[in-house]
Amino acid sequence: MILPKVRDPRLVTIRRGGTLTDDDHRLLALWAADCAEHVLHLVEAERPDDPRPRTAVESVRAWTRGGLGMMASRAAGGHAMGAARDLVGAARHAAYAAGQAACVPHVAEHDLGAAAYAIRAVRATASGDEGIVLGRQELTWQRDRLPAQVRDLVLQDMVRRDDICWSVFSA
């Protein structure tokens, strides 16, 4: 569960009573797509013939360009998460990252789901301390790609939701 019980209005779109602008929503979606795409190879190595995770990442990118509706992107996210269900380890987490990214158009707070699952995917490629180090490197990679316009918002949200995101943002 990566969504909080109490929603941060800064991550709720203006149309739904929050303060998140459409431009910032798209930036969060693109960042989530970057996070998921960075680990997509882990699921594609395990299941090269399953297009659902990659389709999910492509769907969220299409949504940011106005080429796909929110519900279609969300559905692609559900299909990617369906692909994850019978996988294990890094491949499973990578597929979930893609699914979470594609759900950002529906609920912006899924952005951290994509990031957290990507970190978990990278951690799962190694054991013990090496996995932790790889996870920290992935977090640094993600933070380096945060758009300036939403950087502070995402960093604050990482602190706020770290406990429900398996503490991947503080480990």
Side-chain angles (χ1 to χ4, degrees):
M1 182 62 171
I2 54 88
L3 296 176
K5 291 180 182 176
V6 177
R7 305 282 304 278
D8 183 338
R10 298 173 305 161
L11 289 161
V12 176
T13 60
I14 292 169
R15 286 179 305 288
R16 292 183 179 170
T19 61
L20 185 67
T21 66
D22 288 343
D23 287 344
D24 288 352
H25 193 181
R26 282 189 289 275
L27 290 174
L28 292 173
L30 287 170
W31 176 72
D34 288 346
C35 292
E37 190 169 49
H38 196 236
V39 297
L40 204 53
H41 66 280
L42 296 170
V43 67
E44 290 177 334
E46 186 76 23
R47 295 278 168 80
D49 295 332
D50 190 342
R52 294 176 290 179
R54 181 161 298 278
T55 298
V57 172
E58 291 168 355
S59 294
V60 70
R61 290 191 189 285
W63 174 81
T64 66
R65 295 187 304 270
L68 193 67
M70 176 271 293
M71 291 300 289
S73 184
R74 178 179 164 204
H79 293 306
M81 289 187 261
R85 287 190 186 103
D86 67 337
L87 295 169
V88 295
R92 179 183 179 102
H93 299 311
Y96 274 127
Q100 290 288 314
C103 290
V104 172
H106 179 248
V107 174
E109 287 172 310
H110 281 289
D111 67 330
L112 284 195
Y117 274 112
I119 292 168
R120 291 186 80 193
V122 170
R123 281 183 173 182
T125 65
S127 60
D129 289 342
E130 184 182 356
I132 297 296
V133 168
L134 291 173
R136 286 183 189 140
Q137 291 172 349
E138 184 66 17
L139 176 59
T140 298
W141 183 92
Q142 293 173 357
R143 286 179 173 166
D144 287 347
R145 277 146 189 85
L146 274 167
Q149 192 170 336
V150 294
R151 182 177 179 75
D152 288 342
L153 175 61
V154 173
L155 293 177
Q156 290 167 14
D157 198 33
M158 284 178 172
V159 171
R160 185 174 76 94
R161 289 198 284 153
D162 189 47
D163 61 328
I164 61 173
C165 291
W166 311 284
S167 301
V168 298
F169 302 121
S170 63

